[in-house]
Amino acid sequence: MLDIVPLATAEGAILVPGNGLDFGEWGPYERCPPGSYAHAFQIKVESPQTIFLDDTGLNGIRLFCKSKATGAETGVITSSVQCWGTWRDVQWCGPGQFLVGVALRVEEYQGLLDDTAATDVMMACQDGTVLEGGGVCWGEFSVMHVCPPNFAICGLKTRVEAVQGFMEDNTALNDLIMYCCLMD
């Protein structure tokens, strides 16, 4: 069972899982169009490599936005994304549902061994359904952070490490922030 941690301010909420590593730089903040909220997500993951190659785990996250008023798709947003891996299946909330929670799986710092940082994401829909991204199983999930009532996820920002070069330890996506907006 997941612990639920609500975070709220008068204007909205910022969901910070709190277990990410600090390699890399924060990418741009991306937001769904006004009146639109995330109802699905997709992750980019590098499958486990052989013992002699470098693993990165999670490389990117996409949010799929739709209008609350019309139900029409309004776009796909992402922050920084690294080059390794493939996009996994899109994880959708049910009809009329939006994403309201996030938990990040992170493998702790490995020292002289191969670091991967973030490896998977779980997100929660308004009806309580929890969707797992389909990443790799290294590390532990944070608690589930949820938007306050009448808010839904509307934006994101990711911390991604630049390519470190041949024979170096690449981690790709290290951390994320999700933003909640008041539902109009």
Side-chain angles (χ1 to χ4, degrees), residues 19-181:
N19 62 335
L21 298 185
D22 60 2
F23 299 116
E25 302 296 325
W26 285 101
Y29 164 64
E30 296 290 331
R31 189 192 185 290
C32 293
S36 297
Y37 309 91
H39 70 110
F41 74 101
Q42 184 179 35
I43 63 173
K44 185 179 185 187
V45 179
E46 180 184 48
S47 296
Q49 304 297 296
T50 68
I51 190 94
F52 301 108
L53 297 176
D54 184 37
D55 291 298
T56 61
L58 193 58
N59 276 253
I61 301 170
R62 289 178 177 157
L63 296 178
F64 293 77
C65 306
K66 75 175 178 179
S67 167
K68 181 178 183 258
T70 67
E73 297 289 328
T74 58
V76 179
I77 61 172
T78 190
S79 184
S80 294
V81 175
Q82 196 42 277
C83 61
W84 299 286
T86 56
W87 290 101
R88 300 290 169 99
D89 291 340
V90 177
Q91 303 299 312
W92 304 90
C93 288
Q97 297 288 309
F98 293 97
L99 294 167
V100 295
V102 65
L104 182 65
R105 177 180 268 170
V106 177
E107 182 181 45
E108 66 185 24
Y109 176 66
Q110 299 295 298
L112 295 176
L113 301 176
D114 186 12
D115 288 301
T116 58
T119 60
D120 201 356
V121 173
M122 281 193 298
M123 298 192 77
C125 304
Q126 290 170 301
D127 65 1
T129 301
V130 176
L131 307 170
E132 191 165 340
V136 293
C137 61
W138 303 317
E140 301 295 326
F141 274 107
S142 69
V143 296
M144 180 68 69
H145 293 263
V146 296
C147 300
N150 302 315
F151 286 74
I153 291 174
C154 61
L156 80 161
K157 188 178 202 176
T158 55
R159 183 180 198 137
V160 175
E161 183 181 46
V163 175
Q164 298 298 294
F166 183 68
M167 298 299 289
E168 297 295 326
D169 191 1
N170 295 285
T171 60
L173 199 146
N174 274 252
D175 205 354
L176 67 84
I177 297 171
M178 293 283 179
Y179 296 85
C180 301
C181 296

